[in-house]
Amino acid sequence: MKYRDIEILKLDSVSSTNEYLKELVKSGKCEPIIVIADKQTNGKGTGNRSFISDKGGIYLSILLKPFDASLITPMTAVAVSEAIEQISNINTQIKWVNDVYINSKKVCGILCEAVYDKVIEKPYIIVGIGVNLFMPQNGFNSQIKDIATSIYDYENIEIKQRFIDTLIEKFFDYLDNIDQKNFLEKYKNKNFLIGKRVTVLHNNIKIDGTAISIDDNCHLRVKFDDNTEKLFSSGEVSLKKI
Ligand code: BTN
């Protein structure tokens, strides 16, 4: 299967679709490719956490040629959010910077990684997306059952294909014009942390404050209780809603 000449590889099970693509890059693969798995045995989340990836979800990674990818995570969050809303009519929200939520529960996580090749200066980009499309047959793993949700209760192959097609199309449509930041307003509007109390974990120190806005580079502005303000970029902080 292909989308716009980009190969789409479907796997039943893999350790991690992001790791799979990293190995491909290491072995000399340099064309964009999309890998989709029904299950991951060692799914990776942000901050070196694991990402529980049981059957029922969609685990998809996209390998992109090197480019300045600073906005790729928020752009992807908007593409996922719109794909969910288009196929299901369910309203979604975004938690800065890389999670999509339905009714205050997480339905999707995004992990973008850079892979350096010896020959080039700019890294290849791997965009990893994990979506709980259907509820796993035996329910969510106990570690995530209180904080995760799925779009649908029961597996349906047609819906699955429609969702994948919609997501890929939205992703590449936004990517074509990423410099124009067409996703930005939606990204800001859908973020539910704005105005909320948050704890910022920065350099191993926890500080309480209020998330006050997202700027045009998708950085989050937090006002701390001593009235100082700071802008954070994605990699710098771990955020908890209080
Ligand atoms: C997070 O919520 O912390 C990010 C989760 C990212 C999960 C996706 S699933 C596809 C790709 N492969 C992985 O191992 N991780 C990403």
Side-chain angles (χ1 to χ4, degrees), residues 42-98:
N42 195 13
K44 291 180 60 187
T46 50
N48 268 335
R49 284 181 288 265
S50 61
F51 186 76
I52 294 169
S53 309
D54 291 334
K55 202 166 173 315
I58 285 177
Y59 310 100
L60 182 151
S61 295
I62 305 171
L63 174 64
L64 299 172
K65 288 198 165 178
F67 78 110
D68 175 9
S70 56
L71 293 173
I72 194 87
T73 301
M75 187 216 90
T76 304
V78 172
V80 172
S81 162
E82 286 190 347
I84 294 174
E85 293 186 355
Q86 186 168 316
I87 61 146
S88 70
N89 268 324
I90 297 173
N91 188 41
T92 58
Q93 288 188 299
I94 294 172
K95 179 177 170 225
W96 186 89
V97 56
N98 63 324

Side-chain angles (χ1 to χ4, degrees), residues 14-216:
V14 68
S15 73
S16 151
T17 50
N18 272 27
E19 293 301 315
Y20 185 95
L21 288 184
K22 275 187 210 165
E23 290 305 315
L24 277 191
V25 172
K26 279 189 205 150
S27 65
K29 171 84 188 170
C30 50
E31 288 308 310
I33 177 171
I34 299 168
V35 180
I36 305 171
D38 286 340
K39 181 182 165 180
Q40 297 184 120
T41 52
N42 195 13
K44 291 180 60 187
T46 50
N48 268 335
R49 284 181 288 265
S50 61
F51 186 76
I52 294 169
S53 309
D54 291 334
K55 202 166 173 315
I58 285 177
Y59 310 100
L60 182 151
S61 295
I62 305 171
L63 174 64
L64 299 172
K65 288 198 165 178
F67 78 110
D68 175 9
S70 56
L71 293 173
I72 194 87
T73 301
M75 187 216 90
T76 304
V78 172
V80 172
S81 162
E82 286 190 347
I84 294 174
E85 293 186 355
Q86 186 168 316
I87 61 146
S88 70
N89 268 324
I90 297 173
N91 188 41
T92 58
Q93 288 188 299
I94 294 172
K95 179 177 170 225
W96 186 89
V97 56
N98 63 324
D99 293 334
V100 181
Y101 274 63
I102 291 175
N103 291 330
S104 307
K105 291 192 168 178
K106 180 163 163 173
V107 70
C108 166
I110 296 161
L111 175 64
C112 295
E113 298 187 274
V115 188
Y116 284 87
D117 174 289
K118 288 170 236 78
V119 214
I120 48 155
E121 275 170 26
K122 280 192 179 170
Y124 284 91
I125 305 299
I126 294 173
V127 182
I129 305 168
V131 184
N132 303 327
L133 185 60
F134 308 111
M135 178 70 86
Q137 225 171 20
N138 297 321
F140 283 114
N141 181 297
S142 58
Q143 287 174 51
I144 57 168
K145 73 173 176 27
D146 295 334
I147 51 171
T149 191
S150 63
I151 306 169
Y152 296 98
D153 286 341
Y154 302 104
E155 198 153 343
N156 176 311
I157 289 175
E158 274 168 35
I159 289 179
K160 181 173 164 185
Q161 192 54 51
R162 202 152 21 101
F163 178 71
I164 291 171
D165 293 345
T166 309
L167 173 59
I168 292 175
E169 197 176 324
K170 287 197 178 287
F171 177 89
F172 282 99
D173 283 352
Y174 276 121
L175 187 66
D176 283 344
N177 302 301
I178 191 164
D179 293 340
Q180 288 166 33
K181 301 185 183 177
N182 296 338
F183 61 89
L184 188 63
E185 279 315 300
K186 202 157 260 175
Y187 186 72
K188 290 181 181 179
N189 289 336
K190 283 198 163 289
N191 258 281
F192 68 78
L193 283 182
I194 304 309
K196 300 274 173 9
R197 297 282 297 160
V198 291
T199 299
V200 177
L201 180 62
H202 185 45
N203 295 338
N204 271 332
I205 300 170
K206 280 185 183 174
I207 321 173
D208 290 347
T210 304
I212 52 174
S213 58
I214 289 171
D215 76 2
D216 289 355

